[in-house]
Amino acid sequence: MEKKLFIKNMVCNRCIKAIQSDVETLGIQLKHIELGSIIYEEKSKDDFENIKTILERNGFEILLAQDQQLVEQIKIELIKLLQKLPLQLEKTLSKYLESTMNIEYSKISKIFSFNESITIEKYFIKLKIEKVKELIQLQENNFTEISQLLDYSNLTHLSNQFKNETGMSLTEYKDNKQNFRNSLDRIV
């Protein structure tokens, strides 16, 4: 029987590869795997517990509650948005999430804020700032280009948000040459 599991902290392609490898080592056939979830063929009652054990050993968690699953789906959608640059939101973030998830934004927002103690917008800003840090470290773009890639109205807007979130200016961060990036699964 096919079974779908929603997985917390599965935020990058390395996570997908690690989970895929570990689950297949158990001899369990994966039907589908993507950020935040897997579908597998359950052949015995032990399969779920074995997958749960392997996931927890690697810092992942199976999400059983619907609200937690929804919150993780929101996070995954926002992370996916930032994987393809330039960021091109043709509508507001709220409209984007509403259409992508087929749920009213007011409901999505309420559940997210209650479970994470942060608004979706604030969480997205934190994700964008982590992307800025990544782009600065790659040294392929100047600050203006980075602000354009991430759809900021101007460099001043990016600079102000960056300073608010990190306590450093863009230049201070760049000159420091240390990795002060936060893992995407630890952003709150």
Side-chain angles (χ1 to χ4, degrees):
M1 162 171 93
E2 276 190 9
K3 192 162 186 176
K4 182 171 186 170
L5 298 178
F6 291 92
I7 302 169
K8 184 175 181 154
N9 299 333
M10 190 177 172
V11 295
C12 66
N13 289 333
R14 283 189 312 266
C15 297
I16 290 174
K17 287 178 184 166
I19 290 172
Q20 186 169 19
S21 172
D22 287 349
V23 170
E24 288 174 354
T25 300
L26 295 171
I28 298 171
Q29 182 186 2
L30 283 176
K31 297 285 190 173
H32 183 74
I33 185 167
E34 63 183 0
L35 293 180
S37 68
I38 63 170
I39 299 174
Y40 69 98
E41 188 65 36
E42 187 174 65
K43 293 190 175 157
S44 83
K45 296 287 180 197
D46 295 333
D47 288 350
F48 175 81
E49 284 304 319
N50 290 335
I51 290 173
K52 182 178 179 209
T53 300
I54 273 205
L55 291 174
E56 287 173 353
R57 197 176 312 144
N58 289 300
F60 301 105
E61 177 185 336
I62 296 175
L63 299 172
L64 300 174
Q66 278 190 320
D67 282 1
Q68 290 178 327
Q69 291 173 2
L70 179 64
V71 166
E72 198 66 15
Q73 285 178 291
I74 294 165
K75 288 180 176 183
I76 296 300
E77 286 304 322
L78 296 176
I79 289 168
K80 283 182 187 175
L81 259 178
L82 293 173
Q83 286 179 335
K84 262 199 264 176
L85 295 180
L87 175 63
Q88 294 180 330
L89 263 179
E90 289 150 17
K91 44 191 156 192
T92 63
L93 186 60
S94 57
K95 293 289 181 202
Y96 172 80
L97 286 172
E98 201 171 64
S99 67
T100 305
M101 305 194 73
N102 294 319
I103 302 172
E104 280 184 37
Y105 184 75
S106 59
K107 181 178 181 178
I108 293 170
S109 178
K110 202 175 289 179
I111 291 170
F112 189 92
S113 296
F114 178 80
N115 283 277
E116 294 296 311
S117 302
I118 188 174
T119 65
I120 291 173
E121 291 78 10
K122 184 73 173 162
Y123 177 79
F124 191 56
I125 288 168
K126 288 178 178 290
L127 282 178
K128 284 174 75 172
I129 295 304
E130 292 308 313
K131 192 65 166 182
V132 170
K133 291 176 185 178
E134 177 186 330
L135 293 170
I136 289 171
Q137 288 172 344
L138 289 174
Q139 299 180 3
E140 294 174 359
N141 304 97
N142 64 38
F143 296 146
T144 301
E145 291 167 339
I146 291 172
S147 73
Q148 292 167 347
L149 285 171
L150 291 167
D151 201 28
Y152 280 93
S153 54
N154 56 53
L155 179 56
T156 303
H157 184 210
L158 166 60
S159 297
N160 290 338
Q161 259 188 10
F162 193 87
K163 179 89 171 179
N164 284 344
E165 290 298 318
T166 66
M168 290 183 259
S169 71
L170 292 165
T171 305
E172 287 170 332
Y173 183 83
K174 182 179 180 179
D175 291 346
N176 204 322
K177 292 187 174 41
Q178 290 185 349
N179 185 353
F180 292 117
R181 289 173 52 202
N182 297 309
S183 174
L184 296 183
D185 60 338
R186 304 260 188 272
I187 293 179
V188 220

